[in-house]
Amino acid sequence: MDRVVLYRAPTTEAGIDETADWLEERLASSVDAPVVVRDRFLDVHRTDELAERLAEARVRSPYDRETGNTMLGTVRYEERVLESPDRGGGVLYDGLQVQRALNEAMIPDERVLETLHVAILDRAIGTWGEHDGRWHKRVNVLGQPALVSVPGLYEAPAKPERYYKEKQQHALLSGDSPPREVLENRVEGEFLIEDDPRTTEVVKGYVLQAMNYLLNGTPFCDDPRCRLFNAHRHEGVIEAQLREPTFCPEHAELYGRDRTEPASE
Ligand SMILES: [Zn+2]
């Protein structure tokens, strides 16, 4: 791997310049690849087909394997959101289809494997679960380009049990869902909220997972304290991404120790 390209997600809290600096430092002792930052992937690699490809990738319902709605109105909607990203939201896309569409949108010279492209997205993406017949939201989809979904950080991991109980109770009493802010204030426990100020810090670990997949054939680590841990719950995301230590001993060898940690005991 010669180079890493990160793409900004300007409608989100994710600070991509800071992420790039961190990543470059982490790669310094192994591949020593430069990490460059570009604007939004969907702007840099825009093609005429992109809106239709996104419309095809829309998940129709949580339990329906078939995706896509290419009615004119939907394609127009996708065109509008490509132009004005802050008008999007509320749509789940098949992450693998989006990845294929973005791969095809790149010019062939860009698709070389020596450069890893990581598209940070402001869209929710999912993958189909063959085992349980439903869509699951994801934070990242590995490959070329790798996708990292910022809404996925807030929505994909399971929240504390109490969150769902509060939501259910509120629905029983009032017949509707409580506002997000109400739940977030009422529920104890650790989870990331939408536009969380810790977003950039957490994004770093998910970008590194995409890198580790390319370098070592496996994205994840079994150690729940490590940045490469594939957490399924918010408490796990916080443990892996925000608490010390940064890495397990094995990955600390590879990606460097914390500056604040002594180099040896
Ligand atoms: Zn590890």
Side-chain angles (χ1 to χ4, degrees), residues 221 226 248 251:
C221 173
C226 183
C248 68
H251 289 118

Side-chain angles (χ1 to χ4, degrees), residues 42 45-57 69-70 74-76 78-79 82 93 97-98 100-107 111 123:
L42 298 170
H45 301 290
R46 176 79 61 85
T47 62
D48 291 343
E49 293 82 48
L50 211 45
E52 194 165 341
R53 300 299 310 275
L54 288 168
E56 285 167 4
N69 177 345
T70 48
T74 311
V75 178
R76 288 268 157 79
E78 292 293 347
E79 280 167 358
L82 281 173
Y93 299 86
Q97 278 191 71
V98 170
R100 273 198 299 276
L102 299 194
N103 184 285
E104 284 163 18
M106 289 195 284
I107 59 166
R111 280 186 230 144
R123 313 227 180 181

